[in-house]
Amino acid sequence: MTATATPPPDAPAGQEPLPASVTAVVGLLVLFEVTSGFLQVGLAPLLPDLADHLGIGSAALNWVVSVQLLAAAVCVPLFGRLGDLHGHRRMLRIALAVIAAGTLVVALAPDYGTLLVGRVLQGPVAALLPLEIALVRDRLPVADARRAIARLVGALTLGAMAGGVVMGLVDSASGDLRLTLLVPAALAVICVPVSFVAVPESRNRAGGRVDRAGVVLLGGAMVALLGGVSGAESGSWGSVRVLGPVVLGLVLLAVWVRVELRSAEPLVDVRALAARTTAPFYCAAFLFGVFYFGSQAPNSTFYAADPEATGYGFGLSALSISLVLLPGAVGSVVGSLGTAAVARRIGYRPTLMTAFGLVAVTFLQFAFLHEEIWQMAAGSAFTGLGIGLALGAMPTVIVEASDPTGTGIAAALYNNVKTLGGAVAGGVFATLLGAFLSPATGEPGEGGYTALWLTASAAAVVALVATAFSRRREG
């Protein structure tokens, strides 16, 4: 795509003009999104090997995904607000530097605790796309910005599809887990100096300040809640170890809501979350995060499980896992690209309901038909198709149900709520697997995975119901 723009004749003196050509700029942003997708999905087929390398169980492995989502849930609104105040290019560079550091820590981590620190540092990866969208909308005319955003979203999906396959191939060729993990680290490190080459800064600045109290309270509430859930891996929900952090988290969350409602410049617009026309869709977005993010680690460990030792699984290598997961990635791409065509025929809300219904059925299939690889691969393809349709339809549905003056806030809230759902799912699913541990192997029994897939299916059903009973916005 070649897009040109000229500065408006009344541009303020001293303001940086629009670039004569934005092709190079969009190309660089595409590189960042390919890297983002690579980082977010590329680790999935390696999770079983990572667990063996660090000597951790399948239940604890869920936290490798969950802590990154927890950090992302705080980073998305924080980096977005800082970008509005101080420049989106500046925050994009900072985000890339933090991500690169985190990816290096993950690759070189000698123990589980260090690995989790690295995953927390990777949290800003979810903030890259919102920062890039804000930058593109600021620097380009509307038509060019829309095409650029579509290309960025496509790059994210492409990177996600390539990440698992490439990481599996590298692991198979090298046989060295640490060397394999250095591949995304090198890619992330390269993005840092590239961000200083030709990316222009956004021209407009917002006034105000960062809601520091909101950041601290939201982060504290999530850490406490997830910490409490993690203590229930053995099923001891009534213990002080579980109830104490959970109660603390709920109290902090209540205080956070009160602070946000009273703040003139809140970190998260709580009123928009609670609006009658949008609340059902945000509920659906939260549940979408539960089954989308929460199932990644368990599915990989199921594929890798030795059937002779556990009674389930296929004993697959990282490369084989990435190939089994590939139909799901392809289905997701097809679904996201086909959303507009489907929605033109039946509407966006019915499309979203269809997507959730498809996901619910396929997770139900996983629960009862998982003895053969082809069953899992076929189910994964249809799950991916449903997820792709949901990814394509949900932002449009939420934005159209929101006040026209707050579409940017609505899109940001959707992304944040979805990420929060994934963070919570990591703890809940770790608890489910931990409750079914086998005394003989120390690994979750087959019933743990069945319970997990049934829970994911139920989440999709509730999301479908919430979407079906949502109220249309008047006017």
Side-chain angles (χ1 to χ4, degrees):
M1 179 187 74
T2 301
T4 57
T6 55
D10 56 347
Q15 185 182 79
E16 183 183 356
L18 288 169
S21 172
V22 298
T23 302
V25 175
V26 174
L28 293 176
L29 298 182
V30 163
L31 171 63
F32 302 153
E33 276 313 300
V34 169
T35 302
S36 175
F38 198 101
L39 292 177
Q40 292 184 55
V41 177
L43 190 64
L46 299 176
L47 287 173
D49 290 346
L50 194 61
D52 292 339
H53 178 70
L54 297 177
I56 59 177
S58 298
L61 197 61
N62 284 275
W63 290 99
V64 176
V65 176
S66 187
V67 295
Q68 189 269 333
L69 293 171
L70 170 61
V74 179
C75 286
V76 169
L78 176 60
F79 275 69
R81 181 58 178 160
L82 289 172
D84 292 341
L85 294 174
H86 305 296
H88 299 100
R89 180 183 66 179
R90 177 181 297 181
M91 295 312 303
L92 182 65
R93 290 171 173 173
I94 293 173
L96 288 170
V98 175
I99 293 164
T103 310
L104 280 170
V105 171
V106 168
L108 302 176
D111 52 49
Y112 183 55
T114 306
L115 174 68
L116 293 183
V117 171
R119 291 291 286 168
V120 169
L121 291 174
Q122 288 181 319
V125 72
L128 293 181
L129 185 59
L131 287 171
E132 291 160 358
I133 289 176
L135 184 59
V136 164
R137 291 180 64 185
D138 180 88
R139 299 295 304 186
L140 299 180
V142 173
D144 291 337
R146 288 174 178 171
R147 287 194 291 269
I149 291 170
R151 183 169 293 188
L152 291 174
V153 174
L156 175 64
T157 308
L158 177 63
M161 186 169 64
V165 176
V166 171
M167 293 289 276
L169 287 171
V170 173
D171 182 69
S172 178
S174 68
D176 188 329
L177 178 63
R178 195 175 299 279
L179 180 62
T180 304
L181 291 173
L182 283 172
V183 171
L187 189 60
V189 168
I190 289 172
C191 286
V192 178
V194 168
S195 68
F196 286 83
V197 174
V199 179
E201 181 59 279
S202 52
R203 298 166 298 156
N204 300 313
R205 294 288 186 277
R209 58 182 180 80
V210 175
D211 179 16
R212 294 185 177 89
V215 173
V216 173
L217 288 168
L218 178 60
M222 291 303 299
V223 169
L225 287 170
L226 295 178
V229 172
S230 70
E233 289 180 10
S234 61
S236 54
W237 280 95
S239 67
V240 176
R241 178 186 175 187
V242 175
L243 292 180
V246 167
V247 171
L248 175 61
L250 292 175
V251 171
L252 289 175
L253 199 60
V255 175
W256 173 75
V257 170
R258 187 176 180 85
V259 169
E260 297 300 281
L261 288 173
R262 291 186 171 186
S263 175
E265 298 167 344
L267 179 71
V268 174
D269 189 347
V270 176
R271 288 184 176 86
L273 284 174
R276 291 185 178 182
T277 55
T278 55
F281 294 126
Y282 285 124
C283 174
F286 178 87
L287 293 166
F288 175 84
V290 168
F291 60 73
Y292 176 51
F293 293 113
S295 63
Q296 290 181 6
N299 283 358
S300 294
T301 56
F302 183 88
Y303 289 134
D306 182 359
E308 295 184 1
T310 63
Y312 62 84
F314 308 104
L316 299 184
S317 65
L319 176 59
S320 298
I321 292 173
S322 67
L323 293 177
V324 174
L325 293 175
L326 185 59
V330 173
S332 181
V333 172
V334 172
S336 60
L337 293 178
T339 300
V342 175
R344 278 196 298 269
R345 289 180 174 272
I346 64 175
Y348 271 94
R349 189 166 69 159
T351 298
L352 186 58
M353 293 168 60
T354 301
F356 289 142
L358 188 58
V359 170
V361 170
T362 53
F363 272 115
L364 196 63
Q365 179 239 298
F366 286 157
F368 296 104
L369 295 173
H370 51 255
E371 291 81 14
E372 303 291 338
I373 292 180
W374 71 265
Q375 294 172 339
M376 298 294 290
S380 177
F382 285 103
T383 303
L385 180 63
I387 285 173
L389 286 171
L391 285 172
M394 211 174 331
T396 299
V397 169
I398 288 176
V399 166
E400 290 182 354
S402 304
D403 190 307
T405 63
T407 56
I409 294 174
L413 284 177
Y414 152 68
N415 191 72
N416 205 45
V417 168
K418 179 180 68 176
T419 304
L420 281 172
V424 171
V428 172
F429 286 177
T431 298
L432 283 175
L433 293 179
F436 286 85
L437 285 181
S438 168
T441 64
E443 290 295 316
E446 185 176 359
Y449 288 96
T450 300
L452 185 151
W453 288 322
L454 288 174
T455 301
S457 179
V461 169
V462 176
L464 188 159
V465 172
T467 303
F469 285 92
S470 60
R471 293 181 58 178
R472 294 183 180 276
R473 185 176 180 273
E474 297 179 0

